[in-house]
Amino acid sequence: QIALWLKKIYGNQPIPAFEVNKRTVDILYDLAERNEARDMDVSLLIEDMKQKATEYEAEAKYLQGLLAESLALSLSRLSSKGTSYLSVLVNSATILETKDTSLASFFCAINDMTSELHATESKNRKMELELRDRMKKLTEALLLEKQIREDLEKTEKYLEFEKAKAEYQSQKMKFLKDKSKDLKIRIKAAEEQLTATGLDKSLTHESLVNLSK
């Protein structure tokens, strides 16, 4: 089967040599089956197109005969307007993919296209509503993001102010501690100096305050 297929493919040309083993045979067999299936599909498509061409030709002859019998007209004797109308009719039938140019075929095709149009419009309206809803949510999200950014900036400024304030208080507290320590040292030194000069401790400020109490 593979040999027959290769001979069919290459025709009078020599078939290239290849190693015969299970893998190559399987691959060639698969290719042969796919090729034959494709050829079959193409053949069916060609036959279908030939049948449609025959049907269109018969329809054209029928219309030509109808024009000749009913109106004593032929395609070669039609006016430019008549030829234009006929072209419109043919193009409409082609676009609508009708079986023939009868009114029934046109009505069916137009109804189908109208139904499809309504379905598409309904789908578009639904998508438009979804888009509006998403745009609304997006706008709300952007406004919320803007508000959060503004609040964040205010918070950062407030934190910077509080940080500077805390640093100032820390420096002030350090200064007061250092000052208090210095005063205690100076007081102690003054007391020691007064004690050394023979000052009675009962006359010190602390003793007088205690005595007053």
Side-chain angles (χ1 to χ4, degrees):
Q1 185 178 354
I2 293 174
L4 291 175
W5 175 69
L6 290 173
K7 186 175 181 180
K8 177 184 175 182
I9 293 296
Y10 286 96
N12 297 327
Q13 298 180 1
I15 299 174
F18 61 92
E19 182 181 352
V20 180
N21 54 46
K22 185 179 183 305
R23 183 172 180 275
T24 56
V25 170
D26 289 342
I27 293 175
L28 289 173
Y29 183 77
D30 183 65
L31 289 175
E33 283 192 335
R34 291 175 181 271
N35 185 260
E36 289 178 359
R38 186 191 62 182
D39 291 345
M40 181 65 69
D41 292 339
V42 173
S43 299
L44 291 175
L45 181 61
I46 292 174
E47 289 298 325
D48 182 62
M49 293 179 68
K50 285 182 179 180
Q51 183 178 354
K52 287 184 178 179
T54 303
E55 292 176 357
Y56 288 149
E57 185 177 357
E59 181 72 12
K61 288 181 180 180
Y62 169 74
L63 292 175
Q64 187 175 357
L66 188 63
L67 288 173
E69 292 177 7
S70 303
L71 303 175
L73 293 174
S74 63
L75 293 176
S76 59
R77 295 175 58 188
L78 285 176
S79 64
S80 59
K81 184 177 290 187
T83 303
S84 175
Y85 289 157
L86 187 59
S87 297
V88 171
L89 182 65
V90 172
N91 291 333
S92 299
T94 303
I95 293 172
L96 295 173
E97 297 180 355
T98 59
K99 182 179 179 182
D100 49 42
T101 56
S102 64
L103 286 176
S105 296
F106 274 109
F107 285 150
C108 289
I110 291 173
N111 286 336
D112 291 341
M113 291 193 71
T114 302
S115 299
E116 184 178 352
L117 177 62
H118 288 330
T120 303
E121 289 178 347
S122 177
K123 185 177 180 181
N124 288 340
R125 284 193 295 269
K126 183 178 179 182
M127 292 179 65
E128 186 176 355
L129 290 175
E130 291 180 356
L131 180 61
R132 288 180 180 177
D133 184 57
R134 292 185 180 182
M135 288 296 295
K136 181 180 178 181
K137 291 181 179 179
L138 178 60
T139 303
E140 292 175 353
L142 291 175
L143 291 175
L144 179 61
E145 181 184 5
K146 182 180 178 182
Q147 184 64 42
I148 291 174
R149 285 186 177 181
E150 292 178 353
D151 292 343
L152 181 61
E153 290 178 358
K154 291 179 181 178
T155 304
E156 289 178 348
K157 290 181 179 179
Y158 176 75
L159 289 176
E160 289 179 359
F161 171 76
E162 289 297 322
K163 183 180 179 181
K165 184 178 179 181
E167 187 176 353
Y168 169 75
Q169 293 291 345
S170 176
Q171 291 177 356
K172 183 177 180 181
M173 185 172 63
K174 184 177 181 299
F175 169 78
L176 293 175
K177 285 183 177 180
D178 293 341
K179 190 69 175 177
S180 174
K181 185 177 180 181
D182 179 62
L183 288 174
K184 286 180 179 179
I185 293 172
R186 291 172 63 184
I187 289 171
K188 186 177 181 181
E191 288 178 347
E192 290 177 354
Q193 185 179 1
L194 288 174
T195 302
T197 57
L199 176 66
D200 188 357
K201 287 186 178 182
S202 62
L203 298 179
T204 63
H205 176 72
E206 184 177 359
S207 299
L208 292 176
V209 171
N210 291 332
L211 180 61
S212 174
K213 289 180 179 181

